[in-house]
């Protein structure tokens, strides 16, 4: 092979690697996307944080709402359309307790390598269900597994929908309630957005994590507010 051809192949391979790496980073980035607004936390001196619960609703809603009420806390629930259809009463209970509701797609499929029509339907159908349940106001979006590439953010921008991610994710790194709580208390700072998954938990562990977070941070002088309210402080 001639030296020049060899060099060309080498450069093309390098470029391909960079492209793949870039797409991967883009797909998973918590605070960057190609179009529209994305928020993973906000800068504030006020001692406020946002608890966000992904997936569901399920029967666990009742216990979560009860805990929140005890600590005078407001939270944000990113709900899945097909679960809203299964648990309409739980959906209404969240709305009636004045928490924020967000869109987490209809089927929880990853919104990458999917057709624009599929993505649009996943978002529109879920918005409709949330509104039918009585929710007023704008509906923020959180992508399943935090994954997004090109069309999803483009469509969200067209719809003037904000993407909300998080900066504290105990479930990603730890398994026991103790580890998760320690990590949250260590990582916390004013304006943080915490991601938790109590909806399909059968063990009660995630509820324990929520309760301990509520208890410990309340003691430290924190208030728990919705993502919407957090954003008014920016
Ligand atoms: Zn999810």
């Amino acid at each position: 092979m001639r030296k020049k051809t060899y060099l060309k192949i080498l450069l093309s391979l390098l470029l391909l690697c960079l492209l793949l790496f870039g797409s991967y980073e883009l797909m998973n980035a918590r605070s960057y996307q190609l179009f529209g607004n994305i928020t993973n936390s906000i800068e504030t001196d006020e001692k406020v944080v946002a608890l966000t619960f992904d997936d569901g609703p399920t029967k666990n809603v009742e216990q979560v709402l009860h805990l929140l009420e005890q600590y005078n806390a407001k939270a944000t629930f990113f709900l899945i359309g097909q679960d809203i259809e299964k648990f309409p009463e739980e959906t209404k209970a969240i709305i009636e307790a004045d928490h924020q509701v967000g869109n987490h797609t209809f089927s929880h499929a990853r919104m990458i390598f999917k057709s624009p029509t599929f993505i649009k339907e996943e978002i529109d159908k879920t918005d409709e269900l949330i509104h039918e349940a009585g929710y007023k106001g704008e509906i923020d979006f959180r992508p399943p597994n935090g994954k997004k590439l090109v069309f999803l953010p483009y469509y969200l921008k067209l719809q003037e929908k904000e993407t909300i991610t998080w900066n504290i994710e105990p479930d990603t790194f730890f398994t026991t309630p103790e580890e998760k709580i320690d990590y949250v208390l260590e990582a916390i700072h004013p304006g943080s957005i915490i991601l938790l998954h109590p909806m399909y938990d059968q063990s009660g562990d995630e509820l324990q994590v929520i309760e301990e977070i509520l208890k410990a941070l309340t003691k430290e002088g924190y208030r728990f507010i919705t993502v919407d309210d957090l954003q008014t402080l920016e």
Side-chain angles (χ1 to χ4, degrees), residues 54-55 80 104 108 144-145 197:
D54 276 18
D55 313 331
I80 298 170
H104 197 41
H108 206 268
N145 306 99
H197 300 86

Side-chain angles (χ1 to χ4, degrees), residues 195-220:
L195 164 65
L196 292 158
H197 300 86
M199 292 299 169
Y200 308 126
D201 176 44
Q202 305 278 338
S203 64
D205 279 1
E206 194 76 347
L207 278 169
Q208 191 195 331
V209 173
I210 296 171
E211 181 161 22
E212 292 299 326
I213 292 172
L214 286 164
K215 200 190 285 174
L217 291 184
T218 301
K219 220 183 256 172
E220 286 185 28

Side-chain angles (χ1 to χ4, degrees), residues 91-145:
T91 309
K92 284 191 189 126
I94 295 169
I95 297 167
E96 273 157 24
D98 253 343
H99 298 290
Q100 185 180 340
V101 173
N103 182 327
H104 197 41
T105 73
F106 184 79
S107 68
H108 206 268
R110 291 181 176 205
M111 296 290 112
I112 47 171
F113 311 120
K114 296 286 192 311
S115 74
T117 319
F118 179 85
I119 291 175
K120 180 182 180 314
E121 275 178 16
E122 285 276 322
I123 294 171
D124 292 356
K125 245 195 293 184
T126 307
D127 264 7
E128 247 174 67
L129 287 163
I130 292 171
H131 279 141
E132 275 168 21
Y135 191 72
K136 312 255 187 292
E138 282 168 28
I139 302 172
D140 290 343
F141 181 79
R142 174 172 282 171
N145 306 99

Side-chain angles (χ1 to χ4, degrees), residues 7 39 47 91 105 130 150 162 169 172 189 203 214:
L7 205 70
T39 300
K47 282 194 135 181
T91 309
T105 73
I130 292 171
V150 181
E162 282 195 66
E169 45 185 320
T172 311
H189 60 79
S203 64
L214 286 164

Side-chain angles (χ1 to χ4, degrees), residues 4-42:
K4 226 171 159 185
T5 322
Y6 182 72
L7 205 70
K8 259 188 196 164
I9 291 171
L10 200 74
L11 272 174
S12 309
L13 277 174
L14 193 73
L15 201 67
L16 187 69
C17 281
L18 275 174
L19 258 172
L20 286 174
F21 179 71
S23 310
Y24 180 79
E25 288 289 301
L26 186 65
M27 177 175 84
N28 289 304
R30 302 283 182 250
S31 56
Y32 178 78
Q33 65 186 9
L34 283 178
F35 307 97
N37 273 340
I38 183 166
T39 300
N40 75 335
S41 64
I42 69 141

